[in-house]
Amino acid sequence: AQSVAQPEDQVNVAEGNPLTVKCTYSVSGNPYLFWYVQYPNRGLQFLLKYITGDNLVKGSYGFEAEFNKSQTSFHLKKPSALVSDSALYFCALFNTNAGKSTFGDGTTLTVKP
Amino acid sequence: EAGVVQSPRYKIIEKKQPVAFWCNPISGHNTLYWYLQNLGQGPELLIRYENEEAVDDSQLPKDRFSAERLKGVDSTLKIQPAELGDSAVYLCASSLGDFSTGELFFGEGSRLTVL
């Protein structure tokens, strides 16, 4: 079985502060990990992915994520939050052994001016 | 470039009625996905097509749900008959290659309300 956990339903940060949206996973084998963002009344949009290589991956809109195999985590980060970053963020896992994908339940990020 | 187009955006029906959703993927994308998204949850895969072949339909409730992608381009997802628990957002996505190779492009979804 495989799973993705986003332990925080809601994250609130002030504009200009760093932000972290947490994601942990469980899978047998090597995971491919992804972050997607969903703005109100819009479809999910790809932010970044980890397949292999450097544990720190950079994506769209200044976001980055760090793959930590020992902690089975893939937290999303941004050094300085913008109000426009306010959205729903989903972490996703692709199990290369089973060919199955799993999304987390999402974390709502609110950035206040 | 046009994105993934879904219709209708909203649908309200009474239980036991049929309903159909349509999806037109991005041109050239061979892989098409239908996901179910319940309120407060992440998307759950219903079916994945590679061209016109359904390669993963293990999570599709086949007693009432059906899907087709006859010419390997657009796709239709049907529910017959609908139940109260089917109220959700139905998402369509497409990609070049499968989930592992890169990003999925999602449509805006079709929100179904079953009364």
Side-chain angles (χ1 to χ4, degrees), chain B residues 21-115:
Chain B
F21 305 110
W22 176 79
C23 172
N24 192 32
I26 291 174
S27 178
H29 282 193
N30 58 313
T31 306
L32 183 146
Y33 312 75
W34 281 103
Y35 283 90
L36 165 71
Q37 186 176 20
N38 287 305
L39 187 64
Q41 297 182 15
E44 300 172 25
L45 182 68
L46 289 172
I47 189 168
R48 174 168 63 95
Y49 284 93
E50 288 183 10
N51 300 304
E52 64 273 13
E53 182 182 0
V55 296
D56 184 357
D57 64 355
S58 57
Q59 301 303 311
L60 187 72
K62 298 181 183 64
D63 56 337
R64 297 184 300 107
F65 287 65
S66 64
E68 59 183 15
R69 193 185 185 199
L70 293 176
K71 296 183 179 179
V73 181
D74 58 342
S75 176
T76 302
L77 177 70
K78 297 179 181 178
I79 309 174
Q80 183 170 8
E83 297 179 352
L84 295 176
D86 296 331
S87 295
V89 177
Y90 292 83
L91 301 172
C92 180
S94 70
S95 67
L96 283 172
D98 66 16
F99 198 107
S100 67
T101 59
E103 59 189 283
L104 272 63
F105 292 80
F106 284 83
E108 294 179 333
S110 294
R111 182 179 296 276
L112 173 65
T113 301
V114 182
L115 302 176

Side-chain angles (χ1 to χ4, degrees), chain A residues 25-78:
Chain A
Y25 66 90
S26 174
V27 69
S28 58
N30 295 320
Y32 292 174
L33 295 159
F34 304 80
W35 277 100
Y36 284 81
V37 59
Q38 186 173 30
Y39 299 101
N41 298 314
R42 303 287 298 277
L44 278 76
Q45 297 176 33
F46 170 83
L47 273 181
L48 51 79
K49 66 181 178 184
Y50 171 83
I51 303 296
T52 187
D54 194 346
N55 289 344
L56 183 65
V57 294
K58 296 186 183 296
S60 306
Y61 311 121
F63 283 93
E64 59 188 28
E66 186 169 11
F67 172 66
N68 188 317
K69 188 173 183 178
S70 63
Q71 297 186 2
T72 61
S73 67
F74 189 58
H75 301 332
L76 181 70
K77 300 181 180 182
K78 187 173 182 180

